[in-house]
Amino acid sequence: MNRVRPKSGLVALVAAIVVASGIPSVADDTEIYVGLSANQDNVNPNVLFIIDTSGSMDTDVTITTDYDPTATYEAPGNPACDNDNYVFFSGSSNTLEPPSCDSSSRFNKNLLRCSPALATLGTSAGDTGRYTDQIGVWTGSFFSAPQWRDFVTGIFSFLFTIYHVECEDDKGVHGETAGGPPWPVNTGGPYQQSPPSGQGTWQTWPTRTLFSAHYLRWYWYYQGTQTQTRLEIVQDVAKDLVDSVSEINLALMRFDTTGGDYNPTHSWNGDR
């Protein structure tokens, strides 16, 4: 579920002002008289923020909150969903819809052998919290020897033990362990060193989506919308931008002094 927030356009607008205004220049007479010309490479850029505070900036804008892998999400009353040792899978094959937060469609993360999935189901910046691929499960029961198959769901799923969860994109790259046999096979499996002859087991694996518990907590408890005025959004974006740069001479100007909900108490950082 990819979402685009309206803030992105405002970020671009403020950034454009910064780029256009960020050319080093002489700030005042004092700097000229102390020999600025000999040290122009060390002059801080002059940046001017011109904020529109006209009446139209009071207009409310609805913003969709995006998934943030670094944020703290909690699932009260759902200990399984609150446990980051679990990975959840879509309730049926070929679907991107997450299961419910208390779903039994889950397995321990230490059973996941798919390197691309492991790389995106974490809580570091840039992680998406979900991964879609052809997924195979090395699983068996007292009545059935282990083999690569789809997740066993339903009333008899408790009879099956999951040993490995693998993905098609990882075939021949990474097996149970780094440097171990990387090719999933049924005969003599779960892995072997060389590619199997004939049809590989992964060619019959269904497509499923895996989700981190962290993603499910956001999806079911924190995903939503919030309302801000245009001016509040501009103020937040400008402040975040200022906080991310240093060694600039910053000035702030109002575009219109007769209207708008300009907040003089808003936290602004001045000369940086």
Side-chain angles (χ1 to χ4, degrees), residues 14-263:
V14 175
I17 296 174
V18 172
V19 171
S21 307
I23 302 173
S25 61
V26 178
D28 55 45
D29 292 341
T30 303
E31 291 181 342
I32 296 176
Y33 293 132
V34 296
L36 176 65
S37 59
N39 299 286
Q40 281 195 333
D41 289 342
N42 298 322
V43 176
N44 291 339
N46 296 324
V47 178
L48 174 63
F49 283 173
I50 303 176
I51 306 299
D52 183 0
T53 58
S54 62
S56 63
M57 296 300 285
D58 286 339
T59 303
D60 287 336
V61 177
T62 300
I63 303 169
T64 302
T65 58
D66 286 338
Y67 172 69
D68 181 358
T70 65
T72 298
Y73 302 126
E74 298 178 347
N78 286 281
C81 194
D82 231 2
N83 189 341
D84 287 321
N85 292 321
Y86 283 127
V87 173
F88 292 77
F89 55 91
S90 51
S92 60
S93 61
N94 301 308
T95 180
L96 301 177
E97 188 68 21
S100 63
C101 204
D102 56 356
S103 172
S104 60
S105 299
R106 63 179 187 265
F107 59 91
N108 285 318
K109 191 174 184 177
N110 60 6
L111 303 177
L112 183 59
R113 314 304 179 202
C114 174
S115 296
L118 287 169
T120 193
L121 295 181
T123 54
S124 300
D127 291 344
T128 62
R130 63 191 187 278
Y131 177 80
T132 301
D133 197 357
Q134 290 176 254
I135 303 296
V137 185
W138 181 258
T139 181
S141 70
F142 178 80
F143 306 99
S144 175
Q147 62 177 315
W148 290 106
R149 51 164 64 96
D150 191 9
F151 287 104
V152 178
T153 59
I155 60 175
F156 296 110
S157 60
F158 73 96
L159 296 174
F160 286 80
T161 300
I162 295 176
Y163 300 99
H164 308 288
V165 179
E166 187 58 275
C167 64
E168 189 272 342
D169 281 352
D170 203 32
K171 69 181 187 298
V173 179
H174 179 279
E176 180 178 356
T177 59
W183 293 94
V185 293
N186 278 328
T187 303
Y191 295 95
Q192 70 181 25
Q193 192 64 45
S194 57
S197 58
Q199 187 182 42
T201 59
W202 60 84
Q203 293 176 291
T204 60
W205 292 351
T207 298
R208 285 191 181 271
T209 301
L210 305 180
F211 304 90
S212 68
H214 189 262
Y215 182 90
L216 251 63
R217 294 196 294 273
W218 165 79
Y219 187 89
W220 293 112
Y221 289 92
Y222 291 84
Q223 180 185 207
T225 59
Q226 64 184 46
T227 301
Q228 290 181 285
T229 66
R230 292 176 177 175
L231 183 58
E232 288 173 336
I233 295 173
V234 169
Q235 287 176 312
D236 289 341
V237 171
K239 182 178 183 298
D240 290 342
L241 186 59
V242 170
D243 287 342
S244 67
V245 297
S246 61
E247 299 181 355
I248 64 173
N249 298 322
L250 175 63
L252 178 65
M253 178 184 293
R254 295 181 61 173
F255 180 75
D256 179 64
T257 61
T258 61
D261 187 21
Y262 176 70
N263 183 4

